[in-house]
Amino acid sequence: MEDIQVYIVNLGKYTEGISQGAWFTLPVDKDEVAEKIGLDGVRYEEFAIHDFVAPFEIKEYESLDKLNEIAEAYDRESGNPVVKYAGDLVEEGWYPEILEALESLDSICVHEECNSMTDVAYDFIEENGYLRGVPDIIQQHIDYEGMGRDLELEGCYYDTGDGVILEIV
């Protein structure tokens, strides 16, 4: 995964018409931010995030502690194939916030090389070995499309649009 970066400005100076800010890669030390953008804890103590490069939405007044926690969770989950969809799952309403999505990745089933729920139904039958011993003549009459519709109605599936369908359990 690419680094999560934020552009942080000194809010006090910004309201005075002075643009003092810098790009930071998360996780970042608060003291480093304060030093680079001129926060002194007295006259200039507030900051705002005016831009970001991340696979999820970052709000202007997001906490640095929370952003650092999110960056660490992304790093921790970097080997999980679902991590690249975490932001999309939040945006589509499956999870209320990115941290919750990242903490739930292990409970999401990945159906790779599936472009439809019909493909998921086929995978479901194959993976569970339901056709072992069933003659080919019978297998040819299985309604995978109908099974896919039923699976979709009964479960929670998210089509990523790139040949992967996620099952949120």
Side-chain angles (χ1 to χ4, degrees), residues 7 113 149:
Y7 185 78
E113 297 180 28
R149 280 192 309 272

Side-chain angles (χ1 to χ4, degrees), residues 27-137:
V28 66
D29 183 68
K30 289 181 190 179
D31 293 335
E32 178 187 346
V33 172
E35 184 179 322
K36 276 193 175 176
I37 66 170
L39 299 177
D40 61 13
V42 180
R43 183 171 178 199
Y44 301 111
E45 58 185 341
E46 294 181 349
F47 67 87
I49 298 167
H50 281 194
D51 202 358
F52 63 89
V53 177
F56 60 95
E57 177 102 18
I58 297 178
K59 295 183 172 91
E60 186 175 20
Y61 298 107
E62 195 70 66
S63 151
L64 273 183
D65 289 334
K66 184 174 182 181
L67 289 174
N68 283 337
E69 189 177 354
I70 292 167
E72 290 164 0
Y74 262 102
D75 187 49
R76 193 172 47 251
E77 297 294 338
S78 64
N80 189 319
V82 183
V83 75
K84 69 180 182 178
Y85 305 111
D88 296 334
L89 291 171
V90 172
E91 188 176 308
E92 294 292 325
W94 290 96
Y95 295 95
E97 63 175 31
I98 192 68
L99 205 49
E100 187 175 331
L102 291 168
E103 290 169 352
S104 301
L105 295 181
D106 288 337
S107 66
I108 297 174
C109 297
V110 180
H111 299 278
E112 295 178 305
E113 297 180 28
C114 291
N115 294 305
S116 68
M117 287 305 295
T118 301
D119 294 340
V120 172
Y122 183 80
D123 278 358
F124 178 78
I125 294 292
E126 287 293 312
E127 286 175 11
N128 290 299
Y130 292 135
L131 296 180
R132 269 186 247 131
V134 176
D136 287 345
I137 191 81

